[in-house]
Structure formats: C-alpha cells, structure tokens
Amino acid sequence: MSASSPLFGDLLLKLGIVTPVQVQEALALQALTGQRVGEALISLGYVTREQIQDALGEALGLHHDKGPSQPALGELLVGLKYVTLAQLEEALARQRRDGRKLGEILVELGHCTYKQIYEALGLQNRIAGRQENPRPFIDGRRRVVVVDDSPLACAFVQEGLVALGYEVLCFQDPFEALEGMSRLQPAIVLSDLEMPGLDGVELCRRLKEGPTRGLPVIILTANDREAEKVRGLRAGADDYVNKSASMDELAARIESVVRRTGETERMRKLFARYTSAAVVDEILKSADGVVLTGEKREVTLLFADIRNFTGLAESLPPEQVVGVLNQVLGRLSDAVLTCGGTLDKFLGDGLMAVFGAPVARTDDALRALQCSKMMMDAMTDLRVEAEAEWAANGREGHPLVLELGVGINSGVVVAGNIGSTVRSEYTCIGDAVNVAARLCALAGPGEILVGERTRDLVDARETAFEDLPPVRLKGKQQPVPLYRAL
C-alpha cells in the first residue's frame, strides 16, 4: 500500500487521523493535480508529513521507535470535543480562502474560545515532546510584557515563556500597554511588528523616547524584509526575533538583550551623577570609545569657589548654612550640565568640572568659559533674591554678599575611574588640573582667570581676554602666563 492508493485513505480513516470528508476532498484534488492522496491531504492542511510516514509504517508493519509526532490543531480540537467535524470543515474552508490562522477563524465563527485553542496548543506541544519539563529560571522570574493584537499569538508566547520560568503579561492593545509600562516595570517588552493603530516600530519609538527609554524591546515578526528591520532598529529596537523561532531561542535572545541593556543602564547611572542626560546618551551611543580604566586626553578644567562663605557660616545656624550652600552649588551645577560639562566633584564650598571627558567636543574650552559666565550670572541672581528677601523681612542693612572666583585651564590629563574596589569615581588627574585649581585660588571675587592653552583654544571673536602678568605657581619652575576672561 502506498500514499498514492485510495486504500491509503481508508487506513488513515481507520487510524482516526482524517475524516471521510477530508479523504473525499483529497481524492478530488488528486484527480485534478495528480498528487498522491497523502500529499493532497498535507497540502489541504489535514495531516502532517510525520503522520503520513507513521501511517505508511503501520501499513508496512514497520514500528520505528520515533518520538511522538505533532497532531494537527483541528484534530485535537475535535478530539477534545471543543468543535465538531462540520465546524472544523467550515473553518478550514475559510482558511483556504484567506490564509489566516485556523484558531482565529474558529473563534471568529463562534465555534470555540481562545482558552480552548490555548489548551489545544499546549496539548499539541506536549505530544510533540517540546515541553516535557518546564524549567525554572535560575535568576528568578523576569517580568515580560507581550504586545500582540492576536490573543492566540499572545497565549502561545505566554505559555512557552511561563514554562521557562518567566512572568508574562499580555496586551492586545498597544496603547494600553504603553500606559501600563511605568506601573508594571517589566524587564523586557516583546512586541508584534504589524498591529492596527500602533505598530511595533512606533510602539518601540515611544518607549525609547519616554521615561522607559532604558527598557529593552524585542520585535517579534514573520516579516524578514531588511527595510523593516532597519526601520525598527532606528526606532531603538534591541533585537528582532522571527515568530517561527523556538521558545528556547526566544529565551536566549531575551537573556542576551537584558544583559546588554543592564550594562548600558549601569553606565547610565554611573555617568548620570556627573553630567547631563544629553552627554550620557552620547556616551552610550559610542560606548566603545569610552575608556573608564584611564586614558590620556586633552580637556578643559574649571574650578569655582565661593568667596566670603566662611563669614556666612559663622553668622548663620548650621542648617541655614547648608541650605544656602546647596542653593548656590545647585545653580553652579546647573551651569555645568547646561554647557555639557562633567561635574567631577564638590570641594567644600566649591566644585570641579571637566569639559572633554568622558565625551570630547571641539569647543570644550569655549563651553567652559560660557559655563563660568553662567555661574557669575547665577551668583548675581542669588544676590538680588537675597536682598529682596532681606528687605521683605524688614531687616536693616544688607545681607552678606557671596562672590565667586573661577579658574580655567586646558591640558593633557589622565581621565578614568580612580580609587579602590570599594569606592571609586570618574575624575581627571595631571598638571593641568593642579594649575586650574591654583588659578581659582588666585581669582578675586567675580573674576575668571584663564590659562594660556585655554585662551589659544578659544576664538578671540567668541571671548575677549585681558593679559595679566605671569604668575609663579607652586610646583612650576617658570612663571605661568595668565589671562582674565572679560
């Protein structure tokens, strides 16, 4: 007996693999195309090739010790008595016309529920031996959000990932998923590519532009077109996974992306303490070019120190002293971040800032000078506010005036994480740093003193300088050229 014989159809009937109607359709198709009965049944979607091979083995008396085959979804639904043969035939006929998923058609026709489809799929996988032993996730349960307008697709991914130890939350509405991200705080988002209203690429773009920008996103798609992948990657997608991939592959991709983005977030948190969000984003875009262990590079250093602060500290209660200091240093820090500098450290009643590390720009020296002038303007605003508050409280005289002195110098330094394994910080060390600190100490109230290299790096049309007599600095054998920024 062969798969081309009408008697082979009788064998399949006897084995309960097909129905009489299905065999009649296959015989009719055989008459038109010349296909074998078995091939016709496969092309009609009624059986799998494994079932045909098993049936031939049964007919020939061959019993190979093979793993269990995967029965057709329709066959399982009929066996579970969730649908009748007539209902299945109706759904299969519609499937042949529009090519949609059988489960979705059955639900649309009202013949069964998604829950029943979900149970049948689970049974199908277990029969195929793909989910024999659900494995717990070693590092705990990661929360995964799945966004797909197909409830059937959501259920299938959910069952597979839950069996692998993940916590899975599903959304058919991408807008609803967007609203819930901050509250749910998932480890990763899996999004279908093609969805009505808001596709996977746009969902990814919105996630990456909002407060959830650090949240990794994998796009699940049956579309392998290169242009679609590029569009998704430009929107910030961390990976693409084909929907035909196994659950093991999907889990491996999830872990890879989570590890990668975890390292990115670690770097973001490290540098967020020092510099602006824009600079952090620039660092992360070129993470391969950022050296944390130490490298030589030319930078511009800025030191700012509050004058008269000791007198203020002696005249006010400690809590008010701290409040004033925080207010002043807050304004100075804002100037550093606004100009794209890196806040290196606070030094009592002053601070140190770096322009050119970890991200270098061609106008770092100019940015440092602009920052110093913003600092001077901020001190002026604070004095005006203090005098207005003093007068509003009916006090006589004037409040103690706080002034600022600034020193700026450019040169080659070693930049990197300095310290021990217990505590370290990203900073710069070198002669250029020492010179900048000493220029700050020399600066009078409201004065910005600049080193020679900084003046050379700044276009004279951008900032004017006044030549001052060279000064002798500790540790320098020769007098150092000195300039005042105007």
Side-chain angles (χ1 to χ4, degrees):
M1 184 183 299
S2 71
S4 62
S5 168
L7 294 177
F8 184 68
D10 294 334
L11 174 63
L12 293 175
L13 283 171
K14 185 183 297 185
L15 293 173
I17 296 174
V18 294
T19 66
V21 174
Q22 291 171 341
V23 172
Q24 290 303 316
E25 283 191 30
L27 291 172
L29 183 61
Q30 181 188 38
L32 292 172
T33 63
Q35 288 179 305
R36 298 180 176 185
V37 174
E39 292 293 336
L41 285 165
I42 291 171
S43 64
L44 289 170
Y46 293 146
V47 295
T48 64
R49 193 167 298 279
E50 288 81 5
Q51 289 173 311
I52 293 293
Q53 290 171 349
D54 286 346
L56 283 171
E58 181 75 21
L60 297 171
L62 301 175
H63 300 286
H64 299 291
D65 186 16
K66 295 170 56 180
S69 62
Q70 176 178 302
L73 176 62
E75 177 186 335
L76 286 174
L77 290 169
V78 172
L80 291 170
K81 297 185 178 179
Y82 289 155
V83 298
T84 65
L85 281 172
Q87 291 170 336
L88 179 60
E89 294 295 339
E90 180 185 3
L92 287 169
R94 184 170 296 191
Q95 183 187 43
R96 287 191 291 274
R97 289 198 303 272
D98 56 28
R100 289 187 299 144
K101 295 175 181 177
L102 177 63
E104 292 182 358
I105 295 173
L106 285 165
V107 173
E108 182 183 289
L109 292 172
H111 297 331
C112 63
T113 65
Y114 276 118
K115 184 175 184 298
Q116 291 169 332
I117 297 289
Y118 172 67
E119 290 175 1
L121 284 171
L123 178 59
Q124 186 183 53
N125 289 333
R126 286 191 291 275
I127 291 174
R130 294 194 304 193
Q131 295 181 351
E132 293 176 358
N133 296 307
R135 295 169 294 168
F137 187 65
I138 296 173
D139 298 328
R141 288 166 60 83
R142 291 200 196 281
R143 175 173 289 177
V144 179
V145 164
V146 178
V147 186
D148 196 313
D149 61 309
S150 166
L152 183 59
C154 281
F156 185 73
V157 174
Q158 184 177 39
E159 182 187 29
L161 291 181
V162 166
L164 293 174
Y166 293 87
E167 178 187 1
V168 182
L169 304 173
C170 296
F171 291 87
Q172 279 84 57
D173 184 346
F175 293 100
E176 184 183 351
L178 267 177
E179 292 174 2
M181 288 301 171
S182 297
R183 173 176 52 84
L184 297 172
Q185 296 186 337
I188 193 167
V189 174
L190 310 181
S191 174
D192 184 24
L193 176 62
E194 297 174 353
M195 296 182 290
L198 190 71
D199 65 12
V201 172
E202 179 62 18
L203 174 65
C204 179
R205 187 187 67 77
R206 295 192 187 188
L207 286 171
K208 296 296 184 177
E209 289 182 352
T212 56
R213 62 183 177 183
L215 181 61
V217 178
I218 293 178
I219 292 182
L220 302 176
T221 178
N223 186 346
D224 284 329
R225 289 199 302 268
E226 194 67 25
E228 289 298 325
K229 288 186 177 181
V230 171
R231 194 165 68 95
L233 292 172
R234 282 178 177 167
D238 296 275
D239 203 352
Y240 262 79
V241 177
N242 195 288
K243 284 187 173 181
S244 63
S246 68
M247 284 298 155
D248 283 335
E249 180 185 346
L250 179 57
R253 295 287 192 95
I254 288 172
E255 293 311 306
S256 174
V257 168
V258 168
R259 279 195 302 271
R260 191 167 68 241
T261 54
E263 178 63 19
T264 299
E265 283 306 296
R266 188 189 69 81
M267 290 188 65
R268 183 185 295 280
K269 289 176 182 177
L270 172 66
F271 284 105
R273 295 179 293 171
Y274 308 125
T275 188
S276 66
V279 174
V280 173
D281 288 339
E282 200 167 331
I283 292 169
L284 297 178
K285 286 177 184 176
S286 57
D288 291 341
V290 177
V291 179
L292 300 182
T293 53
E295 63 172 340
K296 284 186 176 181
R297 61 194 306 163
E298 185 174 40
V299 301
T300 297
L301 294 310
L302 181 154
F303 282 80
D305 185 75
I306 304 171
R307 304 296 187 250
N308 304 331
F309 190 76
T310 303
L312 178 70
E314 293 174 350
S315 63
L316 293 175
E319 61 273 13
Q320 290 187 30
V321 173
V322 172
V324 171
L325 184 60
N326 286 340
Q327 187 179 25
V328 175
L329 292 179
R331 297 287 183 95
L332 302 186
S333 302
D334 289 344
V336 174
L337 301 184
T338 299
C339 293
T342 299
L343 183 60
D344 188 291
K345 60 175 68 70
F346 291 110
L347 303 165
D349 55 359
L351 59 77
M352 169 185 170
V354 183
F355 294 80
V359 173
R361 295 189 175 96
T362 56
D363 60 347
D364 282 321
L366 178 60
R367 286 171 179 268
L369 282 164
Q370 291 172 336
C371 175
S372 66
K373 293 178 180 179
M374 287 182 65
M375 288 178 169
M376 292 301 180
D377 291 341
M379 295 301 293
T380 300
D381 293 341
L382 285 170
R383 284 197 297 272
V384 172
E385 292 172 12
E387 289 176 358
E389 184 181 354
W390 190 277
N393 291 331
R395 299 179 184 178
E396 296 181 359
H398 297 280
L400 185 64
V401 176
L402 293 179
E403 297 282 1
L404 190 70
V406 176
I408 300 175
N409 188 47
S410 302
V412 176
V413 301
V414 175
N417 269 341
I418 309 297
S420 68
T421 55
V422 177
R423 186 181 185 278
S424 64
E425 62 179 2
Y426 186 86
T427 189
C428 298
I429 56 175
D431 182 63
V433 180
N434 300 332
V435 171
R438 292 185 176 116
L439 293 182
C440 178
L442 288 174
E447 192 174 37
I448 303 169
L449 295 183
V450 178
E452 184 176 29
R453 178 58 179 163
T454 302
R455 189 208 63 169
D456 293 343
L457 289 171
V458 176
D459 192 325
R461 293 172 296 179
E462 299 284 353
T463 300
F465 297 96
E466 177 187 350
D467 291 5
L468 297 176
V471 294
R472 286 191 175 276
L473 298 178
K474 183 179 179 181
K476 307 291 288 187
Q477 294 183 351
Q478 299 296 325
V480 174
L482 186 63
Y483 308 89
R484 180 188 291 122
L486 301 177

